[in-house]
Amino acid sequence: MIQGPLKDVRQMISIPVLAGVALAIWAAWLGWDQRRDVHPDGSTTGPYEAWQVAGLVLTLLASVCWAASRRYVVGAVFGTTVGLTAAAWADWSDDASGLSAIGVGLVMVGSLAATAAVSFIIAGVNRSGSDRAS
């Protein structure tokens, strides 16, 4: 098990790495779809479909679980949150209604809560599993 300054450096490096991963995942799932769908009754939906958001969440879940299982909890939580918040801001910043700020805030709070919960569960399961193995 890595201890001391090297462990701290790896924790700190995991933050920008996982932020970049979150940005890339957002771009892959949501970044290319910018067109709203107009229905026959004149209502609009989108620009994202439910399958795109589900794909984003599941892919992010995999990266958060991977990082948390290696005890990079700080990177999993803060890196992913920063990456998603930056991606949402960049993607939605052209909204003239002002509601994009609320949406970005909700992405930030939701991703912080979700990644913290998943990370602490995964880290706790790994810790109890390694205690039994010792």
Side-chain angles (χ1 to χ4, degrees):
M1 182 175 196
I2 298 172
Q3 296 180 2
L6 184 57
K7 182 178 179 184
D8 294 338
V9 168
R10 287 188 176 183
Q11 279 289 344
M12 297 313 290
I13 289 173
S14 72
I15 295 171
V17 167
L18 286 161
V21 168
L23 276 163
I25 292 171
W26 179 288
W29 284 104
L30 305 180
W32 55 271
D33 191 359
Q34 300 298 315
R35 186 181 48 96
R36 293 195 175 274
D37 299 321
V38 180
H39 299 285
D41 64 356
S43 64
T44 60
T45 58
Y48 314 124
E49 300 292 331
W51 64 268
Q52 290 173 282
V53 177
L56 171 75
V57 170
L58 292 174
T59 310
L60 284 170
L61 181 63
S63 69
V64 169
C65 288
W66 177 86
S69 69
R70 282 149 184 79
R71 296 205 172 116
Y72 298 133
V73 174
V74 173
V77 173
F78 292 113
T80 303
T81 299
V82 166
L84 282 179
T85 303
W89 178 80
D91 201 9
W92 302 339
S93 63
D94 62 347
D95 178 39
S97 71
L99 292 176
S100 63
I102 294 169
V104 170
L106 289 171
V107 166
M108 182 181 66
V109 171
S111 61
L112 183 64
T115 56
V118 168
S119 295
F120 288 118
I121 289 169
I122 296 296
V125 167
N126 281 352
R127 181 166 291 145
S128 67
S130 65
D131 289 345
R132 279 185 250 149
S134 299

